[in-house]
Amino acid sequence: MAKQRLQQCLGCGAFGLQRTCLVCGGSAQAAAPLKWSPEDHRAGLRRKMNGVEAKEWPQSLPTLPSAEAMEAQLEEE
Ligand SMILES: [Zn+2]
């Protein structure tokens, strides 16, 4: 198994590569990656938590300006 280099401070939660925190001087230990499965067992729970099935949800997503607006902004610069 590959050695985990990324460490997370137990005191302040800052990330770093050393076993001692550069922010607060506390001790840091290997930051465990989130458990992940291609089957995504908690997808339904996460959708419910984020309200994805509500009609208003798509409007809450961030959007880019239209391509014409972006081109116009580039021409201004
Ligand atoms: Zn710290």
Side-chain angles (χ1 to χ4, degrees):
M1 197 161 161
K3 186 180 166 196
Q4 173 121 17
R5 296 189 65 203
L6 185 65
Q7 312 287 320
Q8 186 173 22
C9 176
L10 296 172
C12 70
F15 289 93
L17 298 176
Q18 281 86 35
R19 296 298 309 274
T20 52
C21 178
L22 295 177
V23 178
C24 73
S27 72
Q29 66 174 203
L34 287 176
K35 204 172 176 181
W36 184 84
S37 160
E39 292 168 18
D40 205 358
H41 299 289
R42 291 174 175 253
L45 191 65
R46 201 172 51 251
R47 280 195 292 271
K48 190 184 273 184
M49 189 178 78
N50 294 332
V52 167
E53 284 154 21
K55 279 185 181 161
E56 308 82 46
W57 183 75
Q59 276 81 45
S60 71
L61 294 174
T63 56
L64 290 170
S66 69
E68 291 80 16
M70 285 194 273
E71 283 172 9
Q73 192 178 8
L74 283 176
E75 287 165 14
E76 282 173 23
E77 291 172 4

